[in-house]
Amino acid sequence: MPSSTHSMNTGETEPVWVHHMPYQRYPDFPPLSENIKADVCIIGAGIAGISIAYELVNRGKSVTMIEARHVLSGESGRAGGHLSNALDDGYIKIEKEHGFKGAQAAADSHTWALERVGEICKSIGIDCDYHRLPGYEISPYPRGHPNHRTHVACLREEVELAKRLGLSASFHDDLTVPGWDGRPDQRGGAIFAGQATFHPTKYCIGVLHWLKTQPNFRCFAHTRMTSTDESDVVKIHTHDGHTITAADMVQATCAPLQRLGVVAEMQSMRTYCVAIRVPKDSVKDCLIGAGPYRYAKFTECNHKDDYMVLGGCDHTVGQEKTGGRFAELETWARQRFTNAGSVDYQWSGQIFEPLDYMACIGKEQGQKHTYMVTGDSGNGLTHGALAGKLIADEMGGLDNPWASLYNPDRTLRASTVPRLLQHAVTHYGQCTQPDVKDIEDLEIGSGGSSRKAHWHPWRCIKTRESKRNDLVPSVRI
Ligand SMILES: Cc1cc2nc3c(=O)[nH]c(=O)nc-3n(C[C@H](O)[C@H](O)[C@H](O)COP(=O)(O)OP(=O)(O)OC[C@H]3O[C@@H](n4cnc5c(N)ncnc54)[C@H](O)[C@@H]3O)c2cc1C
């Protein structure tokens, strides 16, 4: 289903969330038309920017938010809707990288975040189907597959570590997801109690409606930040030539802007979702995880059916073919849930995987008044929510026990360096090797590296408007 209004959405496809929250119900905000001042300027109106605004406004700060397109037009409008402290990367890897104390901070902060979303819903009266539910983690391999036993053994270890971190987890040899009546037998796995789910756009729009009524909050849409400079204050310059002068600024733009050091430490991944009808109550209401690249949850379709929102098939951006992923997800669902009906929505989006698994949230390197939130690692909804507290605490001079784990200026451990080098070789090696000669070689919306007419290679994208041999440079390398 093509997007009716391109500025509402980063993609060509619509996520299932428009089914019950059409764009017409999004609040309107005008573009910025003059120079203004604020205590804090937040760039980006996704869940991170909105959560930070909520916490700061409640602490009495005057907050101005600017958004390049329409509010919620980034990845938050395309998420899967899991709010989880059973993190995608797993605590074993996180502990290896950040020690037990770091893993504890990760568990505590994501638990805080998933509970905070519920508290906010209650406190300002948002009806977004927020509820707590168990997370079922099963092996991605069928029984009998040589990897099944190894994966199940890892899940057992995860459960033991999760329990030491204070999470409510248990392992079950014959675990099955109630309602999984298809053939693949992937029995055996873990249950993480106390996870949560919601309708992400109903939630974010609900918070924005509340913010709109607050005297110390302003928001300007269709207002793109193009550059900033920091002295005793921060000046944020917009594409239309206006300036916001603020004591502090937060870049909640999902992809980090102007910070190539941070970009180098993250892998950009494309990820996919389909919403497939299943009869109401035919499958247990739970979060399902089957390895890193298959997950599911349920959201209402109508009085008869629910949608199973099935996601995964992640791959590195620009280095693998995109086609066929939706069909792969659909087949997976049909093989396991024989009641599955039509696929009504299919969409994709981008996530950022930091090489040491944790998001970068806090003060930017070498800056006194500029903060960032990036590196969602597939758990960007909870990362966004917890960024609200982390950043508000840091701005208020309060110690926060999670701050060092998320510090954007943290030093990578020696064990991460080989992954960093491998990432640099595959990613930047490809960027500097021109692979696009002619626009005819590219599909609309795809890109590559070109040296055409420039001494430096350029990352290029082909837009709808691009004419023959007319590539639009996006980033100069
Ligand atoms: C398909 C998919 C499924 C996912 N499922 C889950 C899930 O189930 N659970 C989970 O926890 N996470 C999930 N994620 C990850 C999660 O959705 C994201 O990490 C999270 O929404 C990012 O929020 P954000 O506020 O940081 O960024 P965004 O929502 O992308 O918001 C950033 C905003 O900044 C604006 N912006 C950018 N540059 C500028 C500029 N120069 N000036 C002004 N504005 C600017 C953008 O237009 C955008 O609106 C999923 C992601 C995808 C793609």
Side-chain angles (χ1 to χ4, degrees):
M1 287 177 209
S3 165
S4 44
T5 319
H6 210 63
S7 77
M8 307 300 260
N9 193 323
T10 50
E12 294 281 319
T13 48
E14 300 287 21
V16 68
W17 313 115
V18 300
H19 195 72
H20 287 301
M21 176 47 87
Y23 296 129
Q24 296 85 310
R25 281 203 237 146
Y26 284 24
D28 263 333
F29 293 99
L32 181 67
S33 57
E34 58 182 342
N35 296 341
I36 56 167
K37 290 187 176 164
D39 289 343
V40 181
C41 178
I42 298 172
I43 323 293
I47 193 164
I50 291 168
S51 305
I52 297 163
Y54 181 84
E55 303 296 343
L56 287 171
V57 161
N58 271 304
R59 295 182 194 195
K61 295 270 188 199
S62 103
V63 174
T64 291
M65 175 184 276
I66 62 169
E67 164 56 53
R69 297 170 296 209
H70 214 285
V71 294
L72 227 58
S73 59
E75 304 311 313
S76 302
R78 310 178 74 71
H82 295 225
L83 293 166
S84 183
N85 58 14
L87 301 180
D88 282 11
D89 292 312
Y91 286 104
I92 295 173
K93 282 192 197 166
I94 294 172
E95 189 195 21
K96 256 192 202 138
E97 208 65 43
H98 300 279
F100 186 78
K101 216 171 138 206
Q104 186 71 67
D108 292 349
S109 54
H110 284 270
T111 304
W112 180 89
L114 69 86
E115 286 172 355
R116 181 65 171 161
V117 170
E119 281 164 20
I120 293 174
C121 291
K122 211 165 170 187
S123 148
I124 59 176
I126 303 174
D127 178 8
C128 64
D129 193 29
Y130 173 91
H131 60 281
R132 305 294 290 271
L133 75 184
Y136 281 55
E137 290 288 334
I138 55 166
S139 167
Y141 304 102
R143 283 197 168 194
H145 188 287
N147 292 344
H148 181 269
R149 195 185 288 265
T150 324
H151 198 274
V152 160
C154 281
L155 276 174
R156 270 182 200 283
E157 275 181 56
E158 275 296 331
V159 164
E160 288 314 309
L161 177 54
K163 286 203 278 202
R164 285 198 285 128
L165 295 168
L167 302 180
S168 174
S170 50
F171 186 84
H172 306 261
D173 275 323
D174 282 321
L175 184 75
T176 51
V177 178
W180 174 315
D181 58 351
R183 249 190 305 138
D185 175 7
Q186 291 169 227
R187 260 174 307 148
I191 299 182
F192 288 82
Q195 308 303 298
T197 184
F198 67 160
H199 187 298
T201 59
K202 278 191 186 171
Y203 172 74
C204 290
I205 292 300
V207 180
L208 273 172
H209 274 300
W210 178 85
L211 283 168
K212 210 175 170 185
T213 64
Q214 304 304 301
N216 51 341
F217 177 76
R218 285 193 288 181
C219 179
F220 300 95
H222 309 288
T223 302
R224 183 175 290 276
M225 177 207 94
T226 47
S227 65
T228 61
D229 47 78
E230 183 181 318
S231 53
D232 290 345
V233 291
V234 196
K235 287 187 185 289
I236 297 104
H237 307 288
T238 72
H239 182 258
D240 289 340
H242 302 294
T243 299
I244 302 160
T245 306
D248 292 299
M249 147 178 135
V250 188
Q251 284 194 14
T253 48
C254 196
L257 307 176
Q258 305 166 339
R259 287 283 167 265
L260 284 181
V262 174
V263 177
E265 291 168 11
M266 299 198 304
Q267 210 165 7
S268 310
M269 307 290 289
R270 196 81 199 155
T271 181
Y272 298 79
C273 277
V274 298
I276 186 162
R277 283 188 195 222
V278 289
K280 248 187 211 318
D281 301 326
S282 62
V283 185
K284 183 174 175 65
D285 183 22
C286 63
L287 304 182
I288 304 172
Y293 301 128
R294 289 287 183 281
Y295 62 88
K297 68 150 255 170
F298 301 89
T299 189
E300 196 188 63
C301 166
N302 58 25
H303 67 283
K304 231 172 91 247
D305 291 331
D306 280 333
Y307 281 122
M308 172 188 282
V309 178
L310 174 66
C313 286
D314 304 14
H315 63 82
T316 45
V317 168
Q319 293 174 29
E320 282 177 54
K321 292 221 176 300
T322 53
R325 310 281 170 160
F326 294 132
E328 204 179 316
L329 286 173
E330 182 180 343
T331 305
W332 190 92
R334 291 197 189 288
Q335 284 171 344
R336 286 153 184 85
F337 301 93
T338 59
N339 278 329
S342 58
V343 170
D344 290 359
Y345 296 89
Q346 48 188 35
W347 68 100
S348 68
Q350 199 140 316
I351 54 174
F352 297 89
E353 300 277 5
L355 296 174
D356 69 353
Y357 315 120
M358 301 318 295
C360 295
I361 306 171
K363 214 172 265 183
E364 278 192 14
Q365 188 179 19
Q367 306 286 343
K368 287 201 175 101
H369 303 288
T370 303
Y371 298 76
M372 64 156 51
V373 185
T374 189
D376 49 57
S377 210
N379 291 102
L381 297 175
T382 34
H383 269 133
L386 72 90
K389 179 168 170 57
L390 255 179
I391 291 204
D393 283 355
E394 202 170 343
M395 278 182 192
L398 300 175
D399 280 340
N400 183 310
W402 319 323
S404 61
L405 177 68
Y406 294 105
N407 181 2
D409 200 13
R410 62 184 178 259
T411 312
L412 291 183
R413 289 202 169 194
S415 55
T416 318
V417 173
R419 281 206 305 281
L420 179 69
L421 290 176
Q422 194 195 353
H423 170 61
V425 168
T426 48
H427 186 64
Y428 295 100
Q430 195 207 33
C431 291
T432 51
Q433 296 300 316
D435 56 5
V436 180
K437 290 197 186 107
D438 192 302
I439 194 165
E440 298 301 321
D441 301 340
L442 286 175
E443 287 169 24
I444 289 172
S446 62
S449 288
S450 165
R451 212 179 274 266
K452 188 179 151 11
H454 303 286
W455 187 82
H456 288 281
W458 291 79
R459 292 298 278 170
C460 304
I461 51 168
K462 180 174 176 178
T463 65
R464 263 205 199 83
E465 297 78 31
S466 302
K467 304 222 170 48
R468 196 178 159 73
N469 272 341
D470 170 23
L471 292 166
V472 180
S474 54
V475 181
R476 186 176 164 171
I477 300 162

